[in-house]
Amino acid sequence: MITLKDVTLRRGTKLVLDAASVTIQPGENVGLVGRNGAGKSSLFALLTERLQSDGGEVYMPPRWRVGEVAQNMPETDDGATDFVLEGDTLLVEAQAQLAAAEAGDDGHAIADGHQALADAGAFDARPRAQALLMGLGFKNEQLDAPVNSFSGGWRMRLQLARALMCPADLLLLDEPTNHLDLDALVWLEAWLKRFEGTMLVISHDREFLDAITNVTVHLEDTKLTRYGGNYTAFEEMRAERMVLQQASFEKQKEKMAHLQKFIDRFKAKASKAKQAQSRVKALDRMEKLAPILTSREFSFEFREPLNLPNPMLSLKDVECGYASLTEGEPDKIIVRNISRSVLAGQRIGILGANGQGKSTVVKTIARAQAALGGTITEGKGLAIGYFAQQEMDVLRPGDSPLNHMIRLAREVSPQAREQELRNFLGQFRFASDMVNQAVGTLSGGEKARLVLAMLVWQRPNLLLLDEPTNHLDLDTREALSMALNEFEGSLMLVSHDRALLREVCDEFWLVADGGVRPFDGDLDDYQKYLLDTARAQAKALREAGNAGKKSAVKPAPATAPPSAMPPTATVAAAPARRDDRKADAQARQVKSDELKPLRKELNRIDNRLGVLFIDRDTIEASLATGTLTPGQLADSGKKLKAVTEEIDRLEGQWLELSTQVDELTAKVG
């Protein structure tokens, strides 16, 4: 087990841990939580001996192998699969052992080296590495592409795959979901649930933590506090603890009264019913977490928009992409034929895999880049507030937060004196000298808070948020969720934070296959859609492999999302359809407890089948070479039989479970 006893740790002049103690048992999956800057990553460095404690005792079993996601950007021309394979330390050691034995021409050592390779799983190592890559979103043709050919975000995915490849006793994951879309996040979640070692995870994604952790360690005020249970359990237990310590929650009561007043006033009014329901969700959450929210230093709210045009905007046959910079070359169109409208009060979550065009669509609506075709008609008085996925797209690195606000007040409105702007920035944790600090030197979370401050100041009636939570800690995410639930205008949100999507969005659009269409369901339905898509791709690859044409196959999507509506739907019919979708989603929720364990098992089977299909193709390819010895042929034949039998068994289980899921889904359809 891992034991920290009265540990003191300093980073420069900052005290990170002060007489902190905690114990982690073997096999526990631990979520390490705390505000940004509290020292969570420093604790990881302490466990890996990159840092030494200034006092106290740190114990970890000496023979444990530690798997960790390297934070540096890899620079190499090695192929993606080879790079990931190097993360398997047992395999690398066995390969080195064999190479040394062969160099010394030692027969016994060579035999030991081959046995070490077998023990390290060398036979199926490459298929396992490629299964990790494909699960994290890499395409078949990218599996052997040079590492240097990938962008920064994809290289960090390679680092994650390399860490997962390690046969670790202790797995340390520091913000593993930051560079993932929702599709890859769902896969990673399923993979980590099967991990058998001890795991410590730093993450600001509450649903991710809830799914994979059973212990939470809270780092606050240089102390470590252990809670049994996932993040939601920790939150509730901490709330109960703070109830006993605090006497008053007046600030929260005022907010709750404000929400209740809105609910009482508008819940019977059809045009405001959906917004009232959002306030009900926010009020319910505040009632549970009032003690925690009281301790927070950060909260904010969007001011009421000056007007609410309806529709906010209308898109007809719009094409989004990138204009060619070379004369004579065609424009690169990513999403085409978008014919949708955004109505007053709509709260839209935008779904889709990385590279499908979610950010491109949002940038086009935000006027950050021009549409390549079609028309965008904006409602009179439309005021857009845009949060870019890369904050520096809207910030100037050499300017200070105060410079940004002065320019915003001068160019956009409302006008204000410098002291008013300083006071306003103070609400977003920019105090004293921080208002004059160059933006380029701020942390990711501080840049995100500055962008939020600029959005609030502009008083928008349409918010376009592209991954706003990437650098926000859990406290700030909660504050954002509360603010969005109180926001009076329309919202379009791209995020891999499922908790935020569930809490603030009433409907979803899916960006896929070069188009945009409504996704008529909730996030559980979307996860099922992802699994269906992955299953169809695996089937297509399997059929292509059998035909010897794997490299030529381009898998089609599994199915269209549930009840996709024609893109030419009229604006007048939209409210009725949204009400119908809301009722359907509520009915589906009744069956969610029955469906979740079935879907979890289906996900496990899908992932296992993906590995088995690759194993089978590899064995069949080796048999087809005609170069194997009689002993190797016999061994490969046994392995092929075992793999085929397991595939048949799992496919039977999958069919039975899918039937059960379909029957339950039909009851609420």
Side-chain angles (χ1 to χ4, degrees):
M1 63 183 177
I2 300 173
T3 303
L4 278 68
K5 184 177 181 180
D6 296 327
V7 172
T8 298
L9 177 66
R10 294 181 181 276
R11 297 296 304 270
T13 60
K14 180 180 179 180
L15 185 62
V16 176
L17 297 175
D18 183 16
S21 300
V22 72
T23 299
I24 297 170
Q25 301 293 340
E28 288 185 331
N29 297 333
V30 182
L32 179 60
V33 301
R35 288 197 179 109
N36 282 345
K40 300 185 295 295
S41 296
S42 297
L43 180 56
F44 273 19
L46 182 66
L47 294 175
T48 55
E49 299 183 342
R50 296 194 302 274
L51 291 178
Q52 299 297 320
S53 65
D54 297 287
E57 300 176 8
V58 179
Y59 173 78
M60 188 170 71
R63 294 188 178 182
W64 273 17
R65 289 182 181 268
V66 179
E68 185 179 21
V69 181
Q71 297 302 307
N72 63 298
M73 197 69 68
E75 295 288 347
T76 176
D77 289 324
D78 290 347
T81 301
D82 291 333
F83 177 78
V84 172
L85 279 170
E86 291 173 4
D88 190 334
T89 53
L90 280 177
L91 178 62
V92 171
E93 290 169 6
Q95 290 171 335
Q97 178 182 341
L98 178 60
E102 290 175 338
D105 197 24
D106 185 334
H108 288 291
I110 290 174
D112 291 340
H114 281 289
Q115 183 59 50
L117 282 175
D119 293 341
F123 174 78
D124 65 347
R126 194 169 190 85
R128 283 190 287 115
Q130 293 182 338
L132 287 174
L133 288 170
M134 296 183 77
L136 290 173
F138 290 84
K139 297 178 182 177
N140 196 49
E141 59 270 20
Q142 295 176 307
L143 297 179
D144 293 309
V147 170
N148 285 341
S149 68
F150 294 100
S151 65
W154 287 96
R155 289 195 215 179
M156 292 312 297
R157 290 196 191 200
L158 287 171
Q159 292 284 36
L160 175 58
R162 185 176 171 127
L164 299 181
M165 193 69 189
C166 177
D169 301 290
L170 173 64
L171 183 60
L172 302 176
L173 299 176
D174 190 347
E175 293 291 357
T177 66
N178 265 4
H179 299 280
L180 303 184
D181 55 13
L182 189 53
D183 305 48
L185 191 154
V186 169
W187 176 89
L188 176 63
E189 194 175 278
W191 193 95
L192 292 176
K193 287 177 182 178
R194 302 192 303 274
F195 179 69
E196 296 179 352
T198 304
M199 178 168 59
L200 269 71
V201 182
I202 298 171
S203 178
H204 297 309
D205 186 325
R206 67 163 49 248
E207 288 209 16
F208 181 70
L209 288 173
D210 276 349
I212 67 170
T213 63
N214 51 27
V215 173
T216 301
V217 173
H218 185 212
L219 174 53
E220 183 180 39
D221 298 330
T222 72
K223 302 295 184 184
L224 294 169
T225 306
R226 175 189 167 101
Y227 295 82
N230 59 18
Y231 184 80
T232 294
F234 147 74
E235 208 171 35
E236 293 172 352
M237 285 186 283
R238 184 177 174 226
E240 292 171 3
R241 175 179 293 186
M242 295 181 69
V243 165
L244 300 176
Q245 298 172 349
Q246 291 183 239
S248 121
F249 308 117
E250 293 302 324
K251 186 176 180 180
Q252 276 61 45
K253 289 180 181 178
E254 290 174 6
K255 283 190 174 183
M256 291 163 65
H258 175 76
L259 288 174
Q260 190 63 56
K261 182 178 179 181
F262 185 99
I263 293 167
D264 293 339
R265 181 179 177 188
F266 292 115
K267 64 183 178 182
K269 188 175 180 181
S271 63
K272 292 284 187 178
K274 182 176 296 182
Q275 292 162 318
Q277 184 60 37
S278 294
R279 305 314 189 279
V280 170
K281 292 189 290 185
L283 181 61
D284 180 62
R285 188 159 192 78
M286 289 183 73
E287 287 172 342
K288 293 177 182 177
L289 305 180
I292 294 178
L293 292 175
T294 301
S295 71
R296 290 181 180 153
E297 299 174 3
F298 180 57
S299 64
F300 72 100
E301 60 183 22
F302 292 95
R303 293 179 290 178
E304 183 179 356
L306 296 175
N307 54 60
L308 291 173
N310 195 23
M312 288 279 179
L313 55 84
S314 179
L315 298 88
K316 184 176 181 181
D317 299 325
V318 171
E319 295 181 338
C320 303
Y322 300 94
S324 173
L325 300 178
T326 305
E327 186 176 352
E329 288 190 4
D331 296 334
K332 183 179 180 181
I333 299 175
I334 298 176
V335 186
R336 61 181 74 238
N337 299 327
I338 308 174
S339 294
R340 308 290 307 156
S341 293
V342 179
L343 307 180
Q346 270 190 297
R347 312 173 78 80
I348 303 164
I350 302 179
L351 307 175
N354 273 0
Q356 292 295 312
K358 302 188 300 295
S359 294
T360 305
V361 171
V362 172
K363 284 181 180 179
T364 303
I365 295 175
R367 314 175 188 128
Q369 63 187 45
L372 300 181
T375 57
I376 300 177
T377 304
E378 297 183 353
K380 184 177 181 181
L382 178 69
I384 292 176
Y386 173 46
F387 189 110
Q389 182 173 357
Q390 302 297 327
E391 293 93 343
M392 297 312 296
D393 287 351
V394 295
L395 298 177
R396 300 182 184 182
D399 287 355
S400 68
L402 184 58
N403 293 147
H404 281 80
M405 291 305 303
I406 290 173
R407 183 168 54 253
L408 189 65
R410 183 175 62 247
E411 297 176 357
V412 180
S413 77
Q415 302 297 314
R417 293 175 298 168
E418 181 176 313
Q419 188 58 49
E420 291 179 82
L421 296 175
R422 286 177 176 270
N423 294 340
F424 179 77
L425 285 169
Q427 299 174 27
F428 290 83
R429 294 183 186 168
F430 293 99
S432 60
D433 292 341
M434 279 193 70
V435 300
N436 292 315
Q437 186 175 338
V439 165
T441 66
L442 298 178
S443 69
E446 289 164 344
K447 292 172 186 173
R449 291 203 308 275
L450 176 56
V451 175
L452 288 174
M454 294 169 66
L455 289 183
V456 171
W457 186 265
Q458 294 175 67
R459 207 166 185 172
N461 48 34
L462 173 61
L463 281 175
L464 303 174
L465 307 182
D466 190 358
E467 296 290 358
T469 64
N470 269 354
H471 300 289
L472 301 182
D473 59 25
L474 280 158
D475 285 354
T476 310
R477 291 187 186 205
E478 289 293 342
L480 175 62
S481 175
M482 293 295 182
L484 291 177
N485 268 303
E486 292 188 39
F487 178 57
E488 295 286 336
S490 299
L491 167 69
M492 299 181 73
L493 171 64
V494 177
S495 179
H496 65 261
D497 188 324
R498 287 164 294 177
L500 185 65
L501 286 168
R502 290 185 200 276
E503 289 170 7
V504 306
C505 295
D506 297 319
E507 60 185 284
F508 297 99
W509 289 2
L510 177 64
V511 181
D513 306 320
V516 176
R517 54 183 180 265
F519 185 89
D520 198 1
D522 56 21
L523 288 180
D524 290 332
D525 295 318
Y526 182 62
Q527 290 188 199
K528 179 179 182 298
Y529 166 68
L530 294 179
L531 295 176
D532 288 343
T533 302
R535 188 158 46 245
Q537 290 174 338
K539 180 180 179 182
L541 285 172
R542 184 169 70 253
E543 292 174 349
N546 291 338
K549 301 177 181 178
K550 179 181 293 185
S551 61
V553 169
K554 183 178 180 181
T559 57
S563 306
M565 297 188 303
T568 54
T570 63
V571 172
R577 287 197 302 273
R578 291 198 307 276
D579 290 342
D580 290 341
R581 290 197 296 272
K582 187 69 174 180
D584 290 343
Q586 290 173 341
R588 280 189 291 271
Q589 188 61 40
V590 176
K591 293 292 182 182
S592 63
D593 290 341
E594 297 176 59
L595 285 169
K596 283 180 181 177
L598 298 177
R599 286 171 171 159
K600 180 179 178 180
E601 182 63 9
L602 278 173
N603 187 39
R604 184 193 69 78
I605 292 174
D606 278 332
N607 283 287
R608 179 58 182 161
L609 282 172
V611 173
L612 290 171
F613 293 148
I614 295 174
D615 289 352
R616 187 182 65 181
D617 292 343
T618 302
I619 297 170
E620 290 177 344
S622 68
L623 290 171
T625 62
T627 60
L628 300 182
T629 66
Q632 290 173 327
L633 282 171
D635 186 51
S636 296
K638 292 177 182 177
K639 290 177 179 177
L640 181 59
K641 179 181 178 183
V643 168
T644 303
E645 288 176 350
E646 187 174 358
I647 288 175
D648 291 340
R649 178 176 60 80
L650 289 177
E651 286 185 334
Q653 291 180 11
W654 177 88
L655 184 60
E656 182 179 352
L657 287 170
S658 295
T659 301
Q660 294 179 44
V661 169
D662 291 341
E663 289 174 354
L664 283 171
T665 304
K667 291 180 180 179
V668 297

